[in-house]
Amino acid sequence: MSRTRIITWTLAALLALVQIGLWFGKGSVPHAWSLKSQLREQQGANETARQRNQRIAAEVGDLKEGLEMIEEKARSELGMVRPDEVFVQIAGRR
């Protein structure tokens, strides 16, 4: 075998090893695609949690600052009325 053929086959074998590592190794292309997909999903979950936290923070701020939110919650969730009010419930027709 000539020296040129040995070098050619050696380079081809090295190229094959690099390709195997690229497609099947720990840092492979499919693994990177999987990680990118997981990252997108996590970013979506983080954004949802961030929005929920902002709503809760706004509600906490309202509760700390004024009685309007407390009164609204007492009326809607507990059915409370003021002492000078009369609660009237109208039944629907059947």
Side-chain angles (χ1 to χ4, degrees), residues 7-91:
I7 293 173
T8 303
W9 282 106
T10 305
L11 290 176
L14 289 174
L15 181 62
L17 287 174
V18 168
Q19 288 294 317
I20 288 172
L22 180 65
W23 289 101
F24 301 108
K26 184 176 181 179
S28 67
V29 173
H31 184 68
W33 291 339
S34 172
L35 290 176
K36 284 182 183 181
S37 174
Q38 290 175 8
L39 177 63
R40 280 192 300 272
E41 290 174 15
Q42 188 61 51
Q43 286 173 334
N46 289 351
E47 183 58 32
T48 301
R50 189 176 296 110
Q51 290 172 357
R52 186 184 73 236
N53 289 345
Q54 287 176 345
R55 284 193 305 270
I56 291 172
E59 187 174 332
V60 167
D62 287 345
L63 288 171
K64 285 182 178 179
E65 291 178 9
L67 297 175
E68 289 179 11
M69 185 65 142
I70 295 171
E71 183 178 344
E72 180 183 332
K73 287 230 178 250
R75 288 175 177 273
S76 66
E77 293 178 10
L78 302 174
M80 299 180 94
V81 294
R82 290 184 181 166
D84 59 341
E85 292 179 334
V86 177
F87 178 72
V88 177
Q89 185 175 7
I90 301 173

